[in-house]
Amino acid sequence: MERKLYLSDTNKKLGGVCGGLGEYFNIDPTIVRLLAFLSIFLSGFGILAYFIAWIVMPRHGCSRNNW
């Protein structure tokens, strides 16, 4: 089965990016959120990466073929 990266609909706080990454890598999304929080406040790059991922990652159930 092919794994794909999607925004999480069930495990999201803001946009579902951290929840989707957690589901994709089969780890607790809280760990992903902590890493994102650290990258935002330590380097500032995390906020840009989060918003880019939010824009680029599709919602689960949506695909380019449905457009």
Side-chain angles (χ1 to χ4, degrees):
M1 185 172 137
E2 183 179 329
R3 291 185 345 177
K4 292 192 178 186
L5 182 61
Y6 294 106
L7 293 173
S8 178
D9 289 329
T10 58
N11 198 354
K12 68 178 185 176
K13 298 293 181 192
L14 183 65
V17 174
C18 294
L21 287 170
E23 291 171 4
Y24 182 79
F25 290 112
N26 200 24
I27 58 174
D28 188 5
T30 305
I31 295 171
V32 179
R33 287 184 189 105
L34 287 172
L35 292 173
F37 179 80
L38 288 174
S39 70
I40 288 169
F41 286 102
L42 292 178
S43 68
F45 177 72
I47 192 85
L48 179 64
Y50 185 90
F51 284 120
I52 289 172
W54 194 359
I55 292 168
V56 172
M57 288 171 60
R59 291 242 172 254
H60 192 67
C62 296
S63 68
R64 294 189 187 270
N65 296 336
N66 293 339
W67 293 13

